[in-house]
Amino acid sequence: MFLRLIRQGIRNQRNRIAVGVFCVFIGVTVVSSLINLYYDISYKMHEELKSHGANFFVGSKTYSVSPTLDQSVLDLLIKTITREKIVAISPFLYGIARLDLGNAVLVGVDFPEFKKLERHWPIVGQWVSMSFDDRHCVVGRTLANTMHLKVGDSLTVYSQDLNTHAPLTIKGIIETGESADEQVFVNLPLAQRILGLEGKVHHAMLRVEVTGTEAEHLARFLEKTIPFIKADALKRVSYSEGKILESMTGLMTLMVSTIVVLMTLVLMTTLTAMTAFRRKEIALMKALGAKNRSILSYFTVEIILIVLVGTILGIPAGFILAQIFGKTIFLSFVSFRLIVIPFTLAIMSGTAVLAAIIPIRRAYRLDTALVLKEE
Amino acid sequence: MNELILELKSIKRCFGKITALDDFHFNVKPGEWVSIMGPSGSGKTTLLNILACLDTPTSGDYLLDGINVASFNEDQRTVIRREKIGLVFQQFHLIPYLTALENILLAQYYHSVIDEDEAMAVLVRVGLEHRATHLPSQLSGGEQQRVCVARALINQPAIILADEPTGNLDEENEAIVLKFFKDLHQQGKTIILVTHNPEIGQEGDRIIYLHHGKIVEKVYF
Ligand SMILES: Nc1ncnc2c1ncn2[C@@H]1O[C@H](COP(=O)(O)OP(=O)(O)OP(=O)(O)O)[C@@H](O)[C@H]1O
Ligand SMILES: [Mg+2]
């Protein structure tokens, strides 16, 4: 009988129920897409920033323009930190080299490691893949533009005195928005040869698997163990990461709560209209012996059905919407995050309870005698 | 021990400044048929609502089968109502999306457990077995009221309260419905029936006339 009542009651109120389901559906679609987007983007951002970008700088204790560190310091670092913790480590050597037209900063790095450190730099063409490759280079975008260079072009790099030179092929052009855009990157041994600085490096950049304060501890530890170096944990990356996530969290919270409030109001209006429409029925049921509890259970089942159907339809739709957002705003596909389901359900349960309070109170307080007297 | 099935002791019911029932004393013996008459606004429906435990008096005591229900809360009144009282309304009050049979089952559902055979049997009693699956909108007024009577009977209440049950019916249907009340009276049910029709009023054991919330005249037959 209970099921029959529910079924017939729903059939009788199709339109209002449809409005309720639709409202939940829209709400869930937007809310779940935002949650999905948020979790996906923050997860990806975390992954991205975790595995790339240098977080450690090791230079000479005494500052000078000419490099004072021996390249053996890299082995020393690897030994001290232990290989497992180091994601990437590359030496850096800077110097002015001559090109066919003018000068440029020549940077010596260890390409396979350097690539791991700076993977987020967009590159046209490819990175130099081997450490011993002395025939290829990577140049910055600004330099490439001023010299009309393309990937595959050749470029000869000369020492200042023109005694040494190396004919190179451009393998890739990077665009960083930083000074690297004006530089020529080659493997360290070639740079050392051109610049006449055999065995020397200016500093090393590392990506070490450490978090928060661990990084500071490691820096102090390195400086103590290798007295002639200066070690710095770079906070810049994790700081900006935190900033972006923070503002994203704020924005998402704001949007989600706005939508939840709107949805609650619409749902409340719908449920109140449903109660008003049925005041006679409710009064009659009470007159026939229905306790408030059975009226309540009747309502509860209906609300749960509305919310459930809306949610079940809304979550896939929300995923599709998240894809659209992801494609247009973040230019990336969004993968489905399971956490969306409990999160959305929790939000919807809260919404349903809030939206139902007023209508249910009305049903409770209904003056049976009065309502039954109405024509 | 219970000489009286219904006993109202100095009942007062006010709606704001309006006093619908005033120092009202009223006793009904089991198996009695009392007709209530009086002009519009005299307090007939108010009286019936209190008797039906749909409403509570502002003051005074109401003994229903010896139990003082005047201070009962809503759920307690609901329980005692479904155990003891069958209601018939002037406006029928059938649920529009339930069939005739289902409307009867509903009363049974809130009372105990549903039993379709039993519900069908009361439909047979009011001569509507062939309309069991019809919705109220597909039934005539007289048929709807017969469904209401069947619904009032399904739980075998000792007391039937009817507020102008024939008010919306033509003479033919009025006669049919009236016949059910006579049958019920024969079976020993207590009947309280509000009516404007003196002929119907005379079917009872006595008539009480109300005016401004007081009994102004009693007629015994
Ligand atoms: N819920 C209420 N709020 C305010 N006043 C009410 C209420 N119910 C009844 N009254 C008033 O109480 C008085 C008695 O009303 P009641 O409905 O009992 O009359 P009645 O005898 O049934 O009239 P009718 O023959 O028209 O049905 C009337 O003056 C009415 O206006
Ligand atoms: Mg009345």
Side-chain angles (χ1 to χ4, degrees), chain A residues 370 373, chain B residues 15 18 20 39-46 164 196:
Chain A
L370 193 68
K373 265 174 81 168
Chain B
F15 298 103
I18 301 163
S40 186
S42 56
K44 305 181 297 296
T45 300
T46 307
E164 297 186 45
H196 281 291

Side-chain angles (χ1 to χ4, degrees), chain A residues 257-273:
Chain A
S257 33
T258 312
I259 290 159
V260 167
V261 167
L262 283 178
M263 183 166 51
T264 310
L265 288 177
V266 177
L267 199 57
M268 187 151 75
T269 316
T270 311
L271 292 176
T272 311

Side-chain angles (χ1 to χ4, degrees), chain A residues 117-131:
Chain A
L117 284 178
E118 308 291 1
R119 194 184 283 178
H120 58 283
W121 281 354
I123 184 164
V124 177
Q126 279 177 326
W127 289 99
V128 177
S129 50
M130 305 294 194
S131 298

